[in-house]
Amino acid sequence: MKREFLEGLGIDKEKIDSIMAEHGKTVETHKSKQTELSTNLEDLKKQLADRDKDLKDLKKKAEGSEELQSKFTELETKYNQEKADFETKLIDTQLSSALKLALAGKVHDADLVTGLIDKTKIELGEDGKVTKGLDEQIKELQTSKSFLFVPEKKDKTFRGFVPSGGNGSDGNPIDIGAGFAKMANERTQAPKNENDPWG
């Protein structure tokens, strides 16, 4: 959200400052969640690396024993499946987080819109932000499901006009309002009758 957009709507400066501060908090919350996610990701990667090392050690110890070798193979298969599931879930979480951050302020419900986006077409940069594949899908959704998006407000304020000034024949400034009032009064008065005793 840009300050110029709010100024264009005719919102006063103090309200704009409040809105921008609140918007800043929302963005910071999203950034902090993304940082937390990145930290958790690094911890999980370290756990996976430790687990890989433990498996290698176990494999060495299992050599020469059929029973241990069989258990090792079973454990390795289970571990590889868990690792694959984890990596799939991790990629999905990273994509969802990046999409929600990119959609913040543009849609009414970021979770709902994120669910409608084909994540296989999305690419993330090293910074974890969406670099490709989102804009095209957003345009398509704006056409087919425009109700999901926060409308971009255009300045439709009628600012009116200032009538050109000037002076009357007596040299005084012309007062348009007074002119209308005088005209209205003249129309409501009864015509003068020369024979009217009250006139």
Side-chain angles (χ1 to χ4, degrees):
M1 185 177 299
K2 294 186 177 176
R3 180 176 287 275
E4 295 79 22
F5 170 73
L6 296 172
E7 287 170 354
L9 293 174
I11 299 172
D12 63 64
K13 186 182 179 307
E14 287 156 11
K15 287 182 183 173
I16 291 176
D17 290 341
S18 299
I19 292 167
M20 293 305 290
E22 198 59 38
H23 180 65
K25 285 180 196 173
T26 305
V27 171
E28 283 307 311
T29 302
H30 284 295
K31 284 182 181 175
S32 110
K33 282 181 183 175
Q34 197 164 10
T35 305
E36 186 183 331
L37 182 66
S38 297
T39 306
N40 291 342
L41 171 64
E42 291 308 313
D43 290 344
L44 289 169
K45 281 182 179 175
K46 186 179 181 305
Q47 287 175 25
L48 283 175
D50 292 344
R51 203 165 164 182
D52 280 338
K53 185 177 174 292
D54 292 343
L55 272 176
K56 283 178 186 172
D57 292 345
L58 183 60
K59 188 173 186 176
K60 283 180 188 174
K61 289 176 185 173
E63 286 174 4
S65 167
E66 267 188 52
E67 189 183 336
L68 280 176
Q69 192 66 43
S70 171
K71 283 185 179 178
F72 171 76
T73 305
E74 187 183 315
L75 185 64
E76 188 177 37
T77 304
K78 182 183 173 192
Y79 166 69
N80 286 339
Q81 184 58 52
E82 285 176 358
K83 186 177 179 182
D85 292 345
F86 165 75
E87 286 172 351
T88 303
K89 207 176 274 188
L90 183 66
I91 289 167
D92 188 60
T93 304
Q94 280 180 305
L95 281 170
S96 293
S97 177
L99 287 171
K100 285 176 190 175
L101 191 61
L103 294 169
K106 296 178 184 175
V107 296
H108 294 293
D109 187 340
D111 291 323
L112 178 66
V113 176
T114 299
L116 297 172
I117 289 173
D118 182 357
K119 292 178 186 150
T120 59
K121 296 178 181 176
I122 303 294
E123 290 181 22
L124 298 181
E126 289 180 16
D127 59 355
K129 293 182 180 176
V130 177
T131 56
K132 192 176 176 187
L134 180 62
D135 291 341
E136 302 81 12
Q137 293 189 64
I138 290 292
K139 284 177 188 168
E140 199 175 303
L141 282 172
Q142 282 176 323
T143 305
S144 62
K145 294 179 170 52
S146 60
F147 60 90
L148 294 171
F149 294 84
V150 175
E152 289 181 26
K153 293 182 181 170
K154 293 181 180 155
D155 188 13
K156 294 183 180 176
T157 308
F158 179 71
R159 300 196 188 286
F161 65 94
V162 177
S164 59
N167 293 331
S169 58
D170 58 356
N172 293 323
I174 296 173
D175 185 342
I176 301 287
F180 283 131
K182 183 179 175 191
M183 243 173 33
N185 283 336
E186 287 173 355
R187 285 185 184 162
T188 57
Q189 288 179 355
K192 288 193 176 186
N193 187 343
E194 290 179 9
N195 297 327
D196 184 4
W198 307 106

